[in-house]
Amino acid sequence: MNIGGKLILIFVLVVAFSGANLSVYFWSKSKSNNAIEELRLATEVQIALGETQRGLNDLSKQNTIMGQFVSGTEDLALHPKDIERFDTQTNVVAESISRISSSVGSESSKELTALSSKYEALIKSWRRFYLYFGRDHTEALMELAINAEPLANEVMQIYLPALIQAEESRIKLARENYATTSALTNKLSTSVFLGSTLFLMLILIWFSRDLMSRLTGLQLGAEKIGAGDLDHRINDKSKDELHDLAESFNDMGGRLLEARDKLDEQYRIVNEQRQRSQHLLLNILPKSTADELVDNGKVAPQYYSSATVMFADIKGFTLSTEKLSVDKLVEVLNEYFTEFDKICDKYNVEKLKTIGDCYMAVSGVPSRNLSHCADMILAAMECIEITKQLSSREDYPDWEIRIGIHSGPVVAGVVGIKKFAFDIWGSTVNRAARLEASGEANNINISEESRSHVKDLFNLIPRGAIKTKDKQDVAMYFVDGLHSSLLDGRIPPRAGFEERYQVYFREDAQAFPASLENLSASK
Amino acid sequence: MQYFKVLLVFFLLCSASTGFAQTDANADNKRSLVVIVNPTVQQDSISTEDLRLLLLGDIRFWKGGGLVTLLIQAPVSWERDTVLGEVMKMSEPQYRQFWISKVFRTEAASGPKVVLSNEMAGILVSRIPGAIAFVDDAEVPPDAKVLKVDNILPGEEGYPLVFK
């Protein structure tokens, strides 16, 4: 049954119980009215009986007293007005008896009939007594003694008491009926009222609890679905509007689940594509620069007061171009530079670009740090080592690399809107290129500025002032392993280097070249 | 003188005869109060006490049934005075007051009826069932039923209702 049907049923029950209560009330009232009417009639009869008894008593007393008077003389004869007064008195009594007859119950009709007939005879006898009184004393007394007094005695001692007793029984019965009826109707009314109230209360409690629990279930279900628990289903087994609503919520949850799955798939695809794009972007830009470019659509140029720039050029590449096929050449070159890329990542060095067989990188950009020069030299050492390893391979060209490193201020940024690339500018870049050009194969040639950053970490061999391609005399140094103080054998070279690195730059070293470790041990 | 003596003797004789006659008359003045009842009354005798109670209205029915109707002579009659004074020990006003109160207290459905003469009493007693009356023994109706008082008939030795 649907909710509307249930509400209508409850309404019908309320109306039915109200009707039952009203019916019981009216029935009770009718019964009470009947009992009250019966009681009223009985009371009226009692009053009329009292009046009759009093009137008869008065008349009887009056006549009894009169019987004690001597009435043998005419002057004692009753005046017609006295007779009229007597008639009035007897009529009053007769009216009382008449009132009794109209109100008396059928159970007292026999006594009433007897009383009425006797009273009529008594009135006639009394009337004769009055008529004889003062005229014929003998007849008067005879009438009084023979007829009137025995009749009065019968009426007052037998019939009237019998009627009074019958009416008392009747009034007692009426009282008992009234009490019984009142008690019964009160009990019935109370029972029906309490019963119907209790029943309706139970029905309403059941209905409201059922409704509230189901509404709560709907609310919780809607909240769960709204909170994202799209697998949640509202369980409502009834067949009403709330069930339909629950089914709608469940359908909505199902559709939302499908939509979310589709959205997740779309998101996964988009994310993959985004990650791919991000990866590509990170290949050409540093992460912070790529993020800035993504967020703002452009990258503001940044000034770095101190950074280290490295140029690494492959010696023997030109000769290899004549010996190797282009494909092989590119493949080998790619292998070298791939290894260099890995090394740069390892030492937090930012690869900038390759120009032919030249590999250009910068340290301290875009993330500023104090260890940029040391990091760059460690990376350069590892690049030389990997070059040596690769060159020793069969079918690989005998390549060496010449590395130039210089430290100084640079400006970094991205220029252009197509095929843009992260780059640095400044004299430091040119000086680094000059240092590379002035270096030797498998050696790291650094400037005076770079030396000042790492003079306590590495052993540096001064080369003196060397004239560069732009005709300037530049003090240069070759890096020759770790500083001699780190190789005194007290602690392992790596530990000593890392300790000093931490003291100098307030950070831990990114990595440490294995070849350098071996080299140090041999020394 | 002789004439006066004769007169004196005659006077004395007359006086003496008168005195004797008076003495005899006084001896004859003792009168009995006879209780007569209607023949329907089944009792033949009544005690002095029951008679008093009957006169006071405390006995209203005869033994054997029947309503008592008390007939009593009108005031100033010998019978009434005797009944009130000797039997009931009441004065006329007391008796009247007594009965009026009794009637008004509804202690009696009927009171004593006044008759004017023994003859009337005899007539009414004979005609009213249960009637009782007190008459002079000299005027008892011939067909009246006379009750013994304390089982003694009037005229017999010890009859209690003998008065001057």
Side-chain angles (χ1 to χ4, degrees):
Chain A
M1 187 182 287
N2 59 24
I3 293 175
K6 285 177 185 172
L7 286 173
I8 289 171
L9 179 63
I10 289 173
F11 176 73
V12 168
L13 280 174
V14 168
V15 170
F17 281 125
S18 300
N21 279 325
L22 271 177
S23 301
V24 169
Y25 169 74
F26 285 124
W27 177 79
S28 302
K29 195 171 181 183
S30 167
K31 291 288 285 182
S32 296
N33 285 343
N34 288 342
I36 289 168
E37 179 62 19
E38 201 176 343
L39 206 57
R40 188 186 66 76
L41 287 174
T43 307
E44 277 186 4
V45 169
Q46 284 285 316
I47 293 168
L49 279 170
E51 287 176 358
T52 304
Q53 193 173 29
R54 192 166 55 251
L56 281 170
N57 269 333
D58 291 346
L59 286 166
S60 179
K61 287 172 193 172
Q62 175 181 312
N63 295 330
T64 301
I65 298 296
M66 284 175 70
Q68 296 183 43
F69 286 107
V70 176
S71 61
T73 54
E74 278 292 334
D75 56 344
L76 285 176
L78 291 175
H79 194 272
K81 285 187 177 177
D82 294 330
I83 303 292
E84 281 178 20
R85 199 171 293 116
F86 164 75
D87 287 340
T88 306
Q89 285 177 298
T90 55
N91 285 340
V92 168
V93 176
E95 281 174 11
S96 298
I97 293 172
S98 173
R99 280 212 317 275
I100 294 167
S101 65
S102 64
S103 306
V104 80
S106 58
E107 59 273 20
S108 303
S109 59
K110 188 180 168 187
E111 287 84 356
L112 184 67
T113 307
L115 175 71
S116 298
S117 64
K118 290 291 177 184
Y119 180 67
E120 282 177 17
L122 179 61
I123 290 173
K124 287 175 185 171
S125 178
W126 272 340
R127 177 170 268 279
R128 281 195 295 274
F129 168 68
Y130 282 125
L131 292 173
Y132 285 130
F133 193 81
R135 293 186 178 83
D136 185 339
H137 190 66
T138 303
E139 286 299 325
L141 288 185
M142 281 175 60
E143 186 62 40
L144 189 63
I146 294 169
N147 294 323
E149 284 187 350
L151 276 171
N153 197 49
E154 275 186 83
V155 167
M156 295 178 68
Q157 303 297 326
I158 299 169
Y159 294 104
L160 197 56
L163 190 60
I164 288 171
Q165 193 175 3
E167 284 305 307
E168 279 176 352
S169 300
R170 184 180 162 213
I171 202 166
K172 186 182 174 187
L173 193 65
R175 279 199 196 102
E176 287 173 356
N177 280 344
Y178 179 71
T180 307
T181 305
S182 294
L184 177 69
T185 53
N186 285 345
K187 279 182 186 172
L188 193 62
S189 301
T190 307
S191 301
V192 169
F193 176 74
L194 288 178
S196 57
T197 304
L198 187 65
F199 184 74
L200 281 175
M201 201 164 66
L202 288 174
I203 289 275
L204 285 173
I205 287 171
W206 167 78
F207 181 71
S208 62
R209 287 186 68 171
D210 177 62
L211 199 62
M212 287 311 296
S213 68
R214 292 172 61 204
L215 282 173
T216 306
L218 273 175
Q219 185 189 6
L220 289 174
E223 283 176 357
K224 281 189 175 179
I225 291 171
D229 184 7
L230 298 179
D231 290 326
H232 180 78
R233 291 291 177 270
I234 300 165
N235 187 18
D236 194 313
K237 292 177 180 172
S238 59
K239 300 289 180 189
D240 56 16
E241 292 84 349
L242 286 180
H243 172 77
D244 297 342
L245 189 58
E247 285 300 305
S248 299
F249 273 118
N250 290 338
D251 291 345
M252 183 183 72
R255 285 194 295 276
L256 282 173
L257 188 62
E258 287 175 11
R260 191 183 66 177
D261 289 344
K262 285 181 185 174
L263 197 62
D264 285 348
E265 180 63 19
Q266 297 288 331
Y267 177 75
R268 190 184 60 76
I269 294 167
V270 168
N271 202 36
E272 280 179 7
Q273 290 175 348
R274 191 182 64 80
Q275 283 179 348
R276 206 173 295 141
S277 303
Q278 186 77 10
H279 183 70
L280 289 171
L281 193 60
L282 288 174
N283 276 339
I284 57 173
L285 294 175
K287 186 175 185 307
S288 59
T289 306
D291 290 343
E292 188 179 349
L293 184 64
V294 169
D295 292 343
N296 302 329
K298 60 181 181 179
V299 177
Q302 296 285 322
Y303 175 75
Y304 296 85
S305 60
S306 181
T308 298
V309 180
M310 178 189 83
F311 280 87
D313 187 66
I314 296 173
K315 182 185 175 188
F317 182 78
T318 309
L319 188 64
S320 297
T321 56
E322 295 171 1
K323 293 179 179 177
L324 297 174
S325 65
V326 175
D327 292 342
K328 182 64 178 178
L329 184 66
V330 173
E331 181 189 333
V332 173
L333 189 62
N334 180 58
E335 192 165 353
Y336 273 79
F337 284 175
T338 300
E339 292 299 324
F340 289 0
D341 287 346
K342 289 177 184 173
I343 291 166
C344 285
D345 282 344
K346 192 172 166 184
Y347 291 95
N348 198 23
V349 171
E350 189 70 30
K351 173 195 175 183
L352 290 175
K353 56 190 169 185
T354 60
I355 310 150
D357 60 341
C358 183
Y359 188 92
M360 179 184 175
V362 64
S363 180
V365 175
S367 57
R368 303 169 196 271
N369 57 57
L370 297 174
S371 62
H372 52 84
C373 187
D375 295 337
M376 184 61 88
I377 289 173
L378 289 172
M381 285 177 167
E382 203 156 324
C383 285
I384 291 171
E385 193 60 32
I386 198 70
T387 303
K388 285 177 181 174
Q389 289 177 13
L390 290 172
S391 298
S392 63
R393 287 183 183 178
E394 199 174 345
D395 298 334
Y396 271 63
D398 186 17
W399 284 352
E400 293 177 324
I401 59 168
R402 194 172 51 236
I403 296 173
I405 291 173
H406 176 59
S407 300
V410 296
V411 173
V414 177
V415 292
I417 56 170
K418 294 177 77 175
K419 295 181 182 176
F420 44 79
F422 180 71
D423 208 348
I424 56 174
W425 300 273
S427 60
T428 302
V429 178
N430 296 332
R431 178 66 59 90
R434 299 290 176 267
L435 281 162
E436 179 269 320
S438 303
E440 292 180 2
N442 288 343
N443 270 303
I444 302 165
N445 189 30
I446 67 172
S447 65
E448 178 64 32
E449 288 78 6
S450 296
R451 188 196 73 89
S452 64
H453 288 285
V454 297
K455 58 184 170 51
D456 296 326
L457 291 172
F458 299 100
N459 187 32
L460 303 174
I461 302 170
R463 298 179 63 196
I466 295 173
K467 196 176 288 291
T468 60
K469 200 162 62 176
D470 53 355
K471 312 297 182 187
Q472 286 189 4
D473 292 328
V474 178
M476 298 183 188
Y477 300 84
F478 278 139
V479 178
D480 183 23
L482 296 178
H483 195 272
S484 57
S485 61
L486 297 172
L487 302 170
D488 57 2
R490 286 186 295 109
I491 54 173
R494 177 173 182 164
F497 177 84
E498 286 176 348
E499 184 182 356
R500 191 166 293 181
Y501 184 100
Q502 210 281 334
V503 170
Y504 272 61
F505 307 125
R506 301 283 188 267
E507 59 182 321
D508 293 332
Q510 301 291 322
F512 192 77
S515 60
L516 196 60
E517 210 164 348
N518 295 333
L519 183 65
S520 300
S522 67
K523 287 185 179 179
Chain B
M1 187 63 181
Q2 191 64 35
Y3 175 73
F4 281 108
K5 284 181 180 177
V6 171
L7 281 175
L8 182 61
V9 170
F10 180 76
F11 178 74
L12 288 171
L13 285 171
C14 287
S15 300
S17 64
T18 307
F20 285 125
Q22 189 67 40
T23 303
D24 290 338
N26 286 344
D28 291 337
N29 275 347
K30 281 192 175 179
R31 298 158 70 178
S32 294
L33 199 59
V34 176
V35 181
I36 58 172
V37 295
N38 185 272
T40 58
V41 174
Q42 294 179 15
Q43 284 182 231
D44 294 326
S45 175
I46 189 169
S47 67
T48 312
E49 179 58 23
D50 282 351
L51 199 61
R52 198 178 69 81
L53 291 174
L54 191 143
L55 285 164
L56 289 172
D58 291 340
I59 292 177
R60 295 173 58 199
F61 294 94
W62 292 108
K63 291 174 182 171
L67 188 66
V68 174
T69 300
L70 180 61
L71 302 175
I72 193 163
Q73 251 77 345
V76 196
S77 67
W78 175 81
E79 291 83 356
R80 182 182 182 97
D81 291 344
T82 304
V83 166
L84 264 57
E86 301 298 334
V87 179
M88 300 184 68
K89 310 297 184 190
M90 281 185 180
S91 65
E92 178 66 30
Q94 282 176 330
Y95 184 71
R96 284 194 180 188
Q97 180 67 39
F98 171 79
W99 269 104
I100 287 169
S101 300
K102 198 170 181 73
V103 167
F104 273 87
R105 286 197 303 268
T106 329
E107 291 173 3
S110 63
K113 313 288 183 292
V114 175
V115 292
L116 302 178
S117 63
N118 287 331
E119 183 187 1
M120 183 185 280
I123 292 167
L124 289 174
V125 162
S126 65
R127 292 170 65 176
I128 298 172
I132 180 173
F134 301 88
V135 296
D136 191 342
D137 58 351
E139 296 183 35
V140 177
D143 55 347
K145 179 178 179 177
V146 176
L147 280 187
K148 293 176 185 176
V149 178
D150 295 334
N151 283 321
I152 303 171
L153 276 171
E156 292 181 350
E157 186 65 30
Y159 185 70
L161 303 182
V162 178
F163 308 103
K164 284 187 178 179

